Amino acid sequence: ELKVEQNPLFLSMQEGKNYTIYCNYSTTSDRLYWYRQDPGKSLESLFVLLSNGAVKQEGRLMASLDTKARLSTLHITAAVHDLSATYFCAVVLNTDKLIFGTGTRLQVFP
Amino acid sequence: EAQVTQNPRYLITVTGKKLTVTCSQNMNHEYMSWYRQDPGLGLRQIYYSMNVEVTDKGDVPEGYKVSRKEKRNFPLILESPSPNQTSLYFCASSLWRGSGQPQHFGDGTRLSIL
């Protein structure tokens, strides 16, 4: 059974600190997405990672993909309150099915 | 404006009363999909469609039907809703698989089945 595991599930961090969210998956995939969801809102695409070694950066967020290790990371640099949200990784299977991780709820406090 | 539109946004109904949640996209996307989101379970794919008249099951298709008669529309049908289908539902669309483009999500439909 395919599993997509994120950790931590909940992250409370102070403004200005750095942290990494991990996304591990249990089958072969060449595509992985990261999404953000604010409470009561829809999902917003953050990053599309298409190959091994892919690295994408946008503002204080940087995502990477290691297909050999079946691992993606979302690194947060110098966190600010506006980054508080739930972050999901999603793995694309060859059949085009999309499997989401359970999400990481991030809370940034002053 | 490029968007995925779901209707209704909220619905409270009773067990066994057939309902349809509509989804429409204006981006000429080939791929469309339905998900349900439940606390502690994340998002789970119900059905997806690669193009007109091409649909396939996701991870939790039981109790749901879909159709793709037109490229822009992908309705989700609950023939005989039950309380365990109470959830938040999202429709999404994207270009074809090799495009490398992410899925665009609608605003969600919150269904309560009593």
Side-chain angles (χ1 to χ4, degrees), chain B residues 17-70:
Chain B
K17 186 176 181 181
K18 181 180 178 180
L19 67 92
T20 299
V21 184
T22 63
C23 174
S24 181
Q25 50 93 5
N26 62 0
M27 295 168 279
N28 201 36
H29 284 168
E30 286 84 9
Y31 185 97
M32 297 186 75
S33 183
W34 276 103
Y35 302 89
R36 60 178 290 174
Q37 184 175 25
D38 301 289
L41 296 176
L43 282 90
R44 293 177 292 169
Q45 193 170 37
I46 303 170
Y47 270 96
Y48 62 98
S49 170
M50 297 298 295
N51 214 323
V52 175
E53 302 292 0
V54 181
T55 63
D56 207 348
K57 296 178 180 179
D59 279 334
V60 288
E62 295 78 18
Y64 304 94
K65 285 176 58 177
V66 293
S67 68
R68 188 92 182 271
K69 293 184 170 60
E70 303 167 283

Side-chain angles (χ1 to χ4, degrees), chain A residues 22-37:
Chain A
Y22 296 89
C23 173
N24 291 273
Y25 53 98
S26 61
T27 192
T28 302
S29 175
D30 60 356
R31 281 190 296 163
L32 187 141
Y33 303 141
W34 282 96
Y35 286 91
R36 167 183 173 144
Q37 185 179 36

Side-chain angles (χ1 to χ4, degrees), chain A residues 38-95:
Chain A
D38 293 298
K41 302 292 186 180
S42 186
L43 282 83
E44 173 191 354
S45 175
L46 293 175
F47 299 108
V48 176
L49 303 170
L50 296 178
S51 60
N52 186 42
V55 177
K56 295 278 185 75
Q57 183 163 5
E58 180 75 32
R60 300 175 188 274
L61 300 178
M62 183 173 71
S64 66
L65 178 62
D66 182 342
T67 58
K68 293 179 182 177
R70 298 178 182 173
L71 170 69
S72 180
T73 61
L74 181 66
H75 186 73
I76 303 155
T77 301
V80 294
H81 179 72
D82 284 351
L83 291 179
S84 297
T86 299
Y87 293 85
F88 292 95
C89 64
V91 174
V92 184
L93 302 183
N94 287 334
T95 55

Side-chain angles (χ1 to χ4, degrees), chain B residues 76-91:
Chain B
L76 180 69
I77 303 158
L78 284 72
E79 294 270 2
S80 184
S82 62
N84 64 11
Q85 293 177 299
T86 292
S87 187
L88 177 60
Y89 291 84
F90 287 101
C91 180

